[in-house]
Amino acid sequence: MTVAKEFGADPKLKKLYQAYLGLVVVGGFLWWMIPVVVLAFSSEAWFGIVAAFSSFVPLLIAVAIVLYWIPKFHSSINYVLEDDKIIVIKGVWWKTKSVVPYNRITNVNIYQGPISRNFGLGKLSIQTAGFSGVSSSGHKTAEAEIFGIENFEEIKDMVMNFVKGMKIATAEGEVEVGPSKDTNEQILQELRRIRKALEK
């Protein structure tokens, strides 16, 4: 099969993830560190040092691991649009590979959060016929996602152009044939022959 387009995530995805990390650290951890620091300076010196060390060191280790992981994860992302399917590969320690044939795609949605919008990045959520994935909220999840890209509108149009005119597989395993240019031309020629026959 020929490869129509192969690309990875935009470099700005790394900055987006770093912004998420900063929000999590400040909003989720540092606010409750304030009492620890107050306790450290108001108690005996040794107790304060132990309390501060035991609180801050695990956080610093976690932040260091995430900062190491972000560029590795970014470089692992690979999207391939072939003439009959989409391939999504990603993962640092555990690699995942999703293959989605165009003839099973039923919906492609674009998502942008407030922070990702600020970075100009978006995500394509690709849903297919018969895929049974369900989120914790009860909504149908995507079978594949193309995320961390700047030209998401262009990629969506490219995917939908591949989908148009192809056979669409339904959840029951039946196949619905979508209209194509060849089919429309055959119908038009047949109608012309019928008209000529009626005119005689």
Side-chain angles (χ1 to χ4, degrees):
M1 298 297 175
T2 59
V3 175
K5 188 174 180 68
E6 183 172 358
F7 56 100
D10 191 278
K12 287 189 288 187
L13 181 65
K14 292 185 282 188
K15 294 182 179 179
L16 176 63
Y17 281 171
Q18 288 166 0
Y20 286 151
L21 176 62
L23 288 173
V24 169
V25 169
V26 173
F29 294 96
L30 290 186
W31 67 270
W32 60 263
M33 290 287 187
I34 296 172
V36 174
V37 174
V38 172
L39 181 66
F41 286 102
S42 63
S43 304
E44 295 181 14
W46 69 270
F47 181 76
I49 292 172
V50 170
F53 186 81
S54 62
S55 300
F56 281 106
V57 170
L59 177 61
L60 291 175
I61 292 172
V63 169
I65 291 172
V66 174
L67 288 175
Y68 169 81
W69 172 86
I70 288 173
K72 295 288 185 182
F73 180 70
H74 172 267
S75 62
S76 75
I77 299 171
N78 189 39
Y79 306 116
V80 183
L81 304 183
E82 295 188 351
D83 57 358
D84 63 339
K85 62 183 175 290
I86 299 172
I87 301 173
V88 178
I89 302 169
K90 63 181 185 294
V92 178
W93 295 294
W94 290 274
K95 291 279 186 183
T96 62
K97 180 177 181 180
S98 302
V99 179
V100 182
Y102 294 123
N103 67 347
R104 294 196 64 83
I105 294 176
T106 57
N107 203 20
V108 179
N109 296 319
I110 292 176
Y111 294 101
Q112 267 191 309
I115 302 175
S116 60
R117 189 183 303 116
N118 186 57
F119 284 91
L121 301 178
K123 175 177 74 173
L124 297 183
S125 175
I126 300 167
Q127 296 179 344
T128 61
F131 183 65
S132 59
V134 178
S135 67
S136 58
S137 60
H139 295 93
K140 185 177 178 182
T141 59
E143 185 164 359
E145 292 180 338
I146 298 177
F147 57 92
I149 56 174
E150 197 170 35
N151 58 336
F152 46 87
E153 293 280 2
E154 175 191 335
I155 298 300
K156 180 183 178 181
D157 291 341
M158 186 177 292
V159 170
M160 294 312 295
N161 285 335
F162 277 119
V163 172
K164 286 178 183 175
M166 298 191 71
K167 295 179 179 180
I168 307 299
T170 64
E172 289 77 18
E174 300 172 351
V175 173
E176 299 174 357
V177 181
S180 65
K181 291 183 179 179
D182 292 338
T183 305
N184 290 336
E185 186 64 31
Q186 291 173 2
I187 292 171
L188 185 59
Q189 289 175 2
E190 187 64 29
L191 288 173
R192 286 174 180 162
R193 281 195 290 269
I194 293 171
R195 186 180 69 182
K196 287 179 181 179
L198 290 174
E199 286 175 352
K200 293 179 180 179

